[in-house]
C-alpha cells in the first residue's frame, strides 16, 4: 500500500474506476500524468505499486491475454482474466514478486464484474473496492453511497465525493485523477 489512491464500483450495467495520476519514487513525484488504468481488450485493469512493477506486470498480462485471444479466437471473460492474473501473480510470489495491487473491471454475459486483487494474489469479486492510502478515506463513502441499481450519473457523483474527501483529508496532494468506465459499448475515459 503506497501513497496512491485507486477505487472503483459497479453499477447497474457498468463498472467505473478512478486512480490518481502521479508516479512517485520514495518522496519524489516523478510525473503527474501517469495512466494507472490499462485497457486490456474490453476490460480495464487499474494497477498500483512501484512504476516498474506495474508496467512490467501489466504488459505481461496484456500480451498474454491477447495471445490467448489470437490462439483460440475467443476473448477472455472478466472472471477468466482475473483468474489468469491471480495465477500469474501467485506464481511470481515464489520467483520474483511484483508489488502490484489491481482492480479488474469488465462486462460479461452475467453483468458487470469488479475484482479486487492484492500483491499477495488474493482475489475476490466485489461491488466496490479501493487500494492504496486512498482506501482509508474512500471505503466508507463507497459503503455509504453504493447501491445495486446505481446509475452512471450517481456513480460519477460518488467518485467525485471520493476525490473531494482525499483532497480534504489526505495530507499528500495526489494531483489529478483519471476516471474510466466500461459498459456494453466497451471502455472509455471520463472527464470529471
Amino acid at each position: 500500500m503506497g501513497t496512491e489512491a485507486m477505487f472503483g464500483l459497479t453499477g447497474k450495467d457498468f463498472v467505473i474506476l478512478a486512480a490518481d495520476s502521479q508516479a512517485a519514487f520514495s518522496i519524489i513525484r516523478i510525473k503527474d500524468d501517469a495512466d494507472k488504468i490499462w485497457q486490456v481488450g474490453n476490460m480495464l485493469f487499474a494497477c498500483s505499486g512501484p512504476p516498474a512493477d506495474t508496467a512490467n506486470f501489466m504488459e505481461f498480462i496484456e500480451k498474454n491475454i491477447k495471445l490467448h485471444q489470437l490462439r483460440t479466437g475467443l476473448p477472455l471473460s472478466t472472471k477468466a482474466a482475473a483468474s489468469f492474473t491471480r495465477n500469474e501473480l501467485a506464481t511470481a510470489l515464489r520467483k520474483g514478486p511484483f508489488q502490484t495491487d489491481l482492480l479488474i473491471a469488465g462486462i460479461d454475459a452475467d453483468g458487470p464484474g469488479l475484482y479486487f486483487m492484492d500483491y499477495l494474489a488474493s482475489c475476490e469479486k466485489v461491488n466496490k473496492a479501493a487500494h492504496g492510502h486512498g482506501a482509508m478515506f474512500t471505503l466508507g463513502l463507497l459503503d455509504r453511497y453504493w447501491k445495486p441499481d446505481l446509475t452512471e450519473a450517481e456513480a460519477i457523483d460518488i467518485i467525485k465525493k471520493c476525490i473531494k474527501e482525499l483532497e480534504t483529508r489526505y495530507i499528500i496532494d495526489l494531483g489529478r485523477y483519471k476516471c474510466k468506465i466500461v459498459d456494453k459499448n466497451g471502455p472509455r475515459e471520463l472527464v470529471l
Side-chain angles (χ1 to χ4, degrees):
M1 178 189 303
T3 56
E4 298 177 286
M6 187 170 72
F7 38 93
L9 54 129
T10 60
K12 185 170 45 177
D13 55 358
F14 65 90
V15 183
I16 189 168
L17 297 176
D20 70 282
S21 296
Q22 83 171 2
F25 176 74
S26 183
I27 59 169
I28 301 167
R29 181 180 293 169
I30 297 169
K31 61 190 281 188
D32 64 357
D33 62 349
D35 190 355
K36 297 179 183 179
I37 305 174
W38 298 63
Q39 181 177 337
V40 179
N42 279 336
M43 296 170 285
L44 294 173
F45 283 64
C47 189
S48 69
D53 280 1
T54 58
N56 286 336
F57 186 69
M58 279 311 304
E59 285 176 9
F60 174 76
I61 294 298
E62 181 180 23
K63 301 308 179 198
N64 276 280
I65 288 175
K66 181 65 175 171
L67 179 63
H68 176 272
Q69 185 176 354
L70 290 172
R71 283 182 173 165
T72 64
L74 301 169
L76 282 178
S77 67
T78 309
K79 182 178 182 180
S83 294
F84 170 75
T85 304
R86 193 211 72 77
N87 189 44
E88 292 302 323
L89 203 52
T91 302
L93 271 177
R94 285 135 188 99
K95 295 179 181 176
F98 293 99
Q99 294 178 7
T100 57
D101 294 318
L102 296 109
L103 298 177
I104 302 170
I107 303 295
D108 294 326
D110 61 342
L114 175 63
Y115 292 84
F116 174 93
M117 191 177 307
D118 70 3
Y119 71 101
L120 295 173
S122 64
C123 181
E124 187 67 35
K125 185 175 183 182
V126 294
N127 294 316
K128 53 203 173 296
H131 273 300
H133 284 169
M136 291 185 252
F137 302 101
T138 58
L139 281 173
L141 289 169
L142 294 172
D143 283 337
R144 181 175 186 183
Y145 293 110
W146 182 85
K147 57 186 181 180
D149 58 344
L150 202 64
T151 66
E152 189 175 315
E154 290 170 329
I156 292 169
D157 186 53
I158 294 170
I159 295 293
K160 287 180 180 178
K161 285 178 182 174
C162 289
I163 292 170
K164 179 68 176 160
E165 188 72 10
L166 283 165
E167 289 171 346
T168 304
R169 298 186 61 214
Y170 192 34
I171 196 166
I172 297 172
D173 177 20
L174 295 175
R176 293 179 286 175
Y177 291 80
K178 287 209 182 233
C179 184
K180 295 184 182 179
I181 190 168
V182 60
D183 57 19
K184 64 180 184 218
N185 300 319
R188 66 184 192 280
E189 188 167 343
L190 296 174
V191 178
L192 297 177

